[in-house]
């Protein structure tokens, strides 16, 4: 009997609840780890709530902070923080599976069920191999990112050690979409360096586009189709989430450009306008890094960014939010209903009715959670409504962008943001299943009756 089966037997928890328990234990362990004095500069005294906030932000790879990462954590602390980011970004079950295999243990049925839930998979087949593929791909991306950034940073920093630390932390933070930085001011020092921005854009996209998409691209490049004479075909998920993902980036880029052309971008030259707009659009996918103070944007742009952060990244990625597929299915449902269609067809396939229902449940639940949080924070905190809404959407989307109010939140306010970051990481369905009882079949039905809608 392996460790997963023992935990099931001892705790009598469902698969979903055990996954959430693992994340809670990781948060607790991270709080203790990051609270160790030898990871801090000088005699830095952090309160428990600030340590918990930092740990949840790291495990959920959000990047919202109540303390300065650059001024609080020394080199050892920053390395410890990257370890936490790996567990949060790649996933507890992915790294746990890797460690279990190294120890020579077999992954049983219970362990595979945990992996299935953690990675939003629909079947149990090939899950261990999937975990190893994800780990290899992400580590490879981070390694290449570290080499490129560290080499380039030699011209920025006095020693190769500092360049390596900055490059390593930057690559991990961008790939996991964590949004943490050790420059003290995100990527604002590199606002005029388009190479650094371009590398970060690539890393942010690779982390947020979804592990299944990366695996399918890898299989295409390696020519791993079943029939050598058959053209490789991407899954419906990869087509739908990739098109939606890049469509949101392009639409966000153009809208930020238009909305700010007479405001923040008014005194910028053409290439600055392009990169400021593009980078802010990409980072709303769940990145959290910024090349400027987002508080300088006008209210319409801030509302747009809130919407983009609420949507978030793709499923089975490092990001949070309602996810791109939920948003895409909602739009397709509205369009097809308006056209009078009884089914939703896209890319030569027909969407399952259950997936449509699930998408609307995710969006509705997320909207209710965020709205409740906005109302609560607006009552508790002295900040403007747009600042609070921005913080809430950033937390739920595990993005990490902020208008600067995070450190000044009250303890109850921090607890609300902590809750949103955690829900954003585990996902809406995991959150709903925590409250779900045993599924029972109806033994009788009442006569159906229609009600007036709309």
């Amino acid at each position: 009997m392996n460790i997963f089966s023992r935990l099931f037997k001892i705790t009598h928890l469902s698969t979903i609840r055990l996954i959430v328990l693992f994340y809670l234990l990781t948060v607790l362990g991270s709080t203790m780890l990051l609270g160790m004095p030898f990871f801090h500069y000088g005699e830095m005294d952090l309160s428990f709530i600030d340590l918990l906030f930092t740990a949840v932000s790291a495990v959920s790879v959000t990047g919202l902070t109540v303390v300065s990462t650059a001024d609080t954590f020394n080199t050892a602390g920053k390395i410890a923080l990257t370890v936490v980011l790996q567990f949060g970004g790649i996933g507890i079950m992915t790294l746990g599976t890797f460690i279990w295999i190294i120890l020579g243990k077999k992954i049983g049925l219970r362990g595979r069920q945990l992996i299935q839930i953690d990675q939003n998979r629909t079947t149990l087949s090939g899950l261990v191999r999937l975990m190893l593929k994800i780990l290899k791909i992400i580590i490879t991306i981070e390694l290449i990112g570290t080499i490129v950034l560290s080499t380039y940073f030699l011209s920025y920093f006095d020693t190769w050690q500092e360049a390596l630390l900055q490059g390593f932390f930057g690559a991990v933070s961008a790939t996991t979409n964590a949004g943490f930085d050790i420059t003290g001011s995100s990527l604002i020092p590199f606002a005029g360096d388009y190479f650094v921005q371009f590398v970060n854009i690539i890393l942010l996209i690779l982390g947020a586009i979804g592990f299944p998409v990366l695996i399918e691209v890898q299989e295409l490049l390696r020519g791993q189709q079943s029939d050598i004479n058959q053209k490789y075909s991407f899954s419906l998920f990869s087509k739908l989430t990739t098109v939606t993902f890049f469509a949101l980036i392009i639409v966000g880029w153009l809208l930020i450009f238009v909305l700010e052309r007479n405001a923040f971008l008014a005194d910028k030259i053409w290439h600055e306008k392009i990169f400021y707009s593009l980078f802010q659009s990409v980072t709303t996918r769940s990145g959290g890094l910024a090349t400027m103070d987002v508080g300088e944007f006008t209210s319409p742009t801030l509302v747009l960014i809130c919407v983009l952060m609420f949507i978030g990244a793709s499923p089975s990625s490092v990001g949070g939010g309602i996810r791109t597929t939920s948003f895409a299915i909602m739009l397709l449902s509205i369009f097809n209903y308006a056209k009078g269609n009884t089914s939703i067809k896209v890319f030569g396939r027909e969407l399952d009715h259950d997936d449509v229902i699930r998408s609307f449940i995710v969006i509705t639940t997320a909207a209710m959670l965020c709205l409740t949080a906005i109302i609560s924070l607006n009552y508790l905190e002295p900040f403007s409504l747009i600042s609070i809404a921005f913080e809430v959407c950033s937390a739920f989307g595990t993005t990490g962008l902020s208008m600067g109010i995070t450190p000044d939140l009250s303890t109850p306010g921090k607890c609300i943001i902590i809750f949103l970051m955690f829900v954003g990481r585990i996902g809406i369905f995991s959150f709903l299943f925590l409250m779900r009882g045993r599924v029972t079949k109806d033994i009788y039905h009442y006569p159906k009756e229609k009600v007036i809608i709309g």
Side-chain angles (χ1 to χ4, degrees), residues 332-343:
L332 288 169
S333 300
I334 294 172
F335 175 77
N336 279 273
Y337 187 84
K339 295 279 288 183
N341 299 329
T342 57
S343 61

Coordinates of all heavy atoms in Angstrom, one line a residue, residues 332-343:
L332 N -19.3 31.2 -27.3 CA -19.9 30.3 -28.3 C -21.3 29.9 -28.0 O -22.2 29.8 -28.9 CB -19.0 29.0 -28.4 CG -17.7 29.1 -29.1 CD1 -16.8 27.9 -28.9 CD2 -17.8 29.5 -30.5
S333 N -21.7 29.7 -26.8 CA -23.0 29.4 -26.4 C -24.0 30.6 -26.7 O -25.1 30.4 -27.2 CB -23.1 29.1 -24.9 OG -22.3 28.0 -24.5
I334 N -23.5 31.8 -26.3 CA -24.4 33.0 -26.6 C -24.6 33.1 -28.1 O -25.7 33.4 -28.6 CB -23.7 34.2 -26.0 CG1 -23.7 34.1 -24.5 CG2 -24.5 35.5 -26.4 CD1 -22.9 35.2 -23.8
F335 N -23.5 33.0 -28.9 CA -23.6 33.2 -30.3 C -24.5 32.2 -30.9 O -25.4 32.5 -31.8 CB -22.2 33.1 -30.9 CG -22.2 33.1 -32.4 CD1 -22.3 34.3 -33.1 CD2 -22.0 32.0 -33.2 CE1 -22.3 34.4 -34.5 CE2 -22.0 32.0 -34.5 CZ -22.1 33.2 -35.2
N336 N -24.3 30.9 -30.6 CA -25.2 29.8 -31.2 C -26.6 29.9 -30.7 O -27.5 29.6 -31.5 CB -24.6 28.4 -30.8 CG -23.4 28.1 -31.7 OD1 -23.6 27.5 -32.8 ND2 -22.2 28.4 -31.2
Y337 N -26.9 30.3 -29.5 CA -28.3 30.5 -29.1 C -28.9 31.6 -29.8 O -30.1 31.5 -30.2 CB -28.3 30.8 -27.6 CG -29.7 30.7 -27.0 CD1 -30.3 29.6 -26.6 CD2 -30.4 31.9 -26.9 CE1 -31.6 29.5 -26.1 CE2 -31.7 31.9 -26.4 CZ -32.3 30.7 -26.0 OH -33.6 30.7 -25.5
A338 N -28.2 32.7 -30.0 CA -28.7 33.8 -30.8 C -29.0 33.4 -32.2 O -29.9 33.9 -32.9 CB -27.8 35.0 -30.7
K339 N -28.2 32.5 -32.8 CA -28.4 32.0 -34.2 C -29.5 31.0 -34.3 O -29.9 30.6 -35.4 CB -27.1 31.5 -34.7 CG -25.9 32.5 -34.8 CD -26.0 33.3 -36.1 CE -25.7 32.4 -37.3 NZ -25.7 33.2 -38.5
G340 N -30.0 30.5 -33.1 CA -31.0 29.5 -33.2 C -30.5 28.1 -33.2 O -31.3 27.2 -33.5
N341 N -29.2 27.9 -33.0 CA -28.6 26.5 -33.1 C -28.9 25.8 -31.8 O -28.9 26.4 -30.7 CB -27.1 26.6 -33.3 CG -26.8 27.3 -34.7 OD1 -27.6 27.2 -35.6 ND2 -25.7 28.0 -34.7
T342 N -29.1 24.5 -31.9 CA -29.4 23.7 -30.7 C -28.1 23.0 -30.2 O -28.1 22.3 -29.1 CB -30.4 22.6 -31.0 OG1 -30.0 21.8 -32.1 CG2 -31.8 23.2 -31.4
S343 N -27.0 23.1 -30.9 CA -25.7 22.5 -30.5 C -24.6 23.5 -30.9 O -24.8 24.4 -31.7 CB -25.5 21.2 -31.2 OG -25.4 21.4 -32.6

